[in-house]
Amino acid sequence: MTGDRNNWKQLAAGKEAFIFDLDGVLVDTATFHYRAWRRLANELGFDFSMQQNELLKGVSRMQSLEQVLTWGRMQQAGLDKEHLAEKKNAWYLELVERMGPDDVLPGVLAFLRAAKATGIRTALGSASKNARLILDRTGLQGYFDAVIDGNAVVLSKPHPEVFLRAAEALGAAPDACLVFEDAQAGIDAAKAAGMSAVGIGSGTALQRADLVVAGLADLKID
Ligand code: G6P
Ligand code: MG
C-alpha cells in the first residue's frame, strides 16, 4: 500500500491543515543529528547503530542525550549533561551552517506550493530548537502559517502537545489535520492528538501511520 494513490486521496480528502515535522521530512537533517550524536558517543568510548538511532528521531535534545547515555551505560558517570548536549549541538550546527536552499528534500517545495494553492493551511511541528534557523537557511520560512518548535513546547513527542498547538494556531480541529512525520515518536504524537499521519521513510520503522511513502515527492495534490 506504500504510496498508493487512492489511499492518499482518501486520506487527504476533507483535510484543512497539513502539519509538517522538519528533520527528515522537509530537510535531511535527521542524518546530521545521527552524525553528531554518534560523534559524541564515540568520544565517550561507545557506538550505537542506525537502528537504535530510530529511537532518537523526533525526541528532544535532552531526552536524546539520556537515551544515548543509557546505551553507553554512562548514566551513573557523573557527566555534565548540559555541556554534552551543547557539544553535540555545536557539531550539529557545523553541518547546518553549510545548508542552503538546495538541501530541501525532493518534492517538498512543489508539495507545499500545491497545498497553499488549494487553500490548505500549513504549520511546522518540530521538537527542534534550531527549526527557525534551518527554515531561514533553506528558504522555507515563508511556507508556513504557523511555526511550533522546540522553544514553544514543554512536552516532547510522543506527547501530542506540539501538534495540538499547531492545530490551534491554524484554527483547525484535530481530525481535519494531516501530519507528515519520519519518526515513530511523531506518528504516535499525531495519533495521540487524534490526527491522521503520513509516515515518511520505511513502513517497517513507522507503525500506525495511515500511509507510508519514501518522501513528499511521491504525493501529488490534485
Ligand atoms: C527533532 C529531531 C531530533 C532532535 C530534536 C531536537 O525532533 O528529530 O532528532 O533531537 O528535533 O532538536 P534540536 O535541534 O533542538 O537539538
Ligand atoms: Mg523528524
Side-chain angles (χ1 to χ4, degrees), residues 21-25 30 57-58 157 181-183:
D21 172 51
L22 176 66
D23 299 308
V25 172
K57 289 186 179 174
K157 299 168 188 176
E181 257 293 350
D182 71 320

Side-chain angles (χ1 to χ4, degrees), residues 17-18 31 39 44 52 59 75 85 88 101 121 136 139 152 160 173 187 204 210 216:
F18 286 176
T31 56
R39 187 169 169 185
L44 292 169
Q52 282 172 296
V59 177
Q75 280 292 8
K88 179 267 170 183
R121 300 193 287 283
D136 284 350
I187 301 286
T204 44
D210 296 287
L216 289 179

